[in-house]
C-alpha cells in the first residue's frame, strides 16, 4: 500500500506559477505510476498529467500542455506538478493518484485505473 499527501496549493494571480508536490509513503514508490487530477466545484474530476514509474512515459491533458510539467524524484518518493501561466479555469482541488504497475512504461489518463488517492490541495487562480 501507499499513502499520498499533496502540498503546494494556494492562491495565485492569473499568469502566475505554483508547484504542487505529492509525497508517498511505502518502499516501492519507484514501481508506481503517478497521476494528477483536478476537480472544480460542480464538475467531474478530470485528468491533468501522469508519469510512468521510470519517468519514460508522460501524458498531459490538452488543456495544460505547454503550461504544466509533471516530474518525479523516486529517491525522495515525491512527484511534482509545476504549473505555469495559470488561468482562472485552472482553479480546482488537485489530487495525486498512484498505481502499482510491473510495466515501466505504463501510465493512463483514466481515474479508475489508479488505486490510491491523496486528500487533495486547493489551487485558486484569481483573474
Amino acid at each position: 500500500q501507499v499513502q499520498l499527501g499533496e502540498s503546494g496549493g494556494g492562491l495565485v494571480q492569473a499568469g502566475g506559477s505554483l508547484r504542487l508536490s505529492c509525497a508517498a509513503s511505502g518502499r516501492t514508490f519507484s514501481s508506481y505510476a503517478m497521476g494528477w487530477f483536478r476537480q472544480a466545484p460542480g464538475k467531474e474530476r478530470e485528468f491533468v498529467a501522469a508519469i510512468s514509474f521510470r519517468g519514460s512515459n508522460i501524458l498531459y491533458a490538452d488543456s495544460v500542455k505547454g503550461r504544466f510539467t509533471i516530474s518525479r524524484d523516486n529517491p525522495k518518493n515525491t512527484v511534482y506538478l509545476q504549473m505555469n501561466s495559470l488561468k482562472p479555469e485552472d482553479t480546482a482541488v488537485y489530487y495525486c493518484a498512484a498505481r502499482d504497475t510491473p510495466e515501466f512504461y505504463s501510465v493512463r489518463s483514466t481515474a479508475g485505473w489508479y488505486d490510491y488517492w491523496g486528500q487533495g490541495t486547493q489551487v485558486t487562480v484569481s483573474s
Side-chain angles (χ1 to χ4, degrees):
Q1 278 214 357
V2 65
Q3 292 184 326
L4 306 174
E6 303 92 338
S7 62
L11 173 64
V12 64
Q13 289 189 332
S17 297
L18 284 174
R19 188 176 82 155
L20 305 183
S21 299
C22 175
S25 64
R27 297 180 299 160
T28 58
F29 174 77
S30 59
S31 69
Y32 284 86
M34 301 295 296
W36 285 98
F37 291 77
R38 67 187 181 186
Q39 188 166 18
K43 295 188 177 181
E44 293 188 353
R45 189 169 298 189
E46 66 173 359
F47 170 72
V48 176
I51 186 168
S52 58
F53 75 67
R54 289 188 186 177
S56 57
N57 199 3
I58 291 176
L59 303 177
Y60 291 104
D62 288 343
S63 58
V64 306
K65 278 181 183 176
R67 300 189 299 122
F68 291 10
T69 302
I70 188 171
S71 62
R72 63 189 297 159
D73 187 335
N74 285 346
K76 293 185 178 179
N77 285 5
T78 302
V79 63
Y80 304 98
L81 186 68
Q82 178 66 44
M83 306 186 296
N84 299 328
S85 302
L86 282 161
K87 305 175 181 180
E89 51 264 42
D90 294 318
T91 295
V93 177
Y94 283 71
Y95 299 89
C96 69
R99 178 185 172 101
D100 189 7
T101 173
E103 297 92 15
F104 70 88
Y105 54 82
S106 286
V107 66
R108 302 280 177 87
S109 61
T110 307
W113 186 72
Y114 294 86
D115 297 318
Y116 305 101
W117 292 83
Q119 293 301 308
T121 185
Q122 176 70 47
V123 171
T124 303
V125 184
S126 63
S127 57

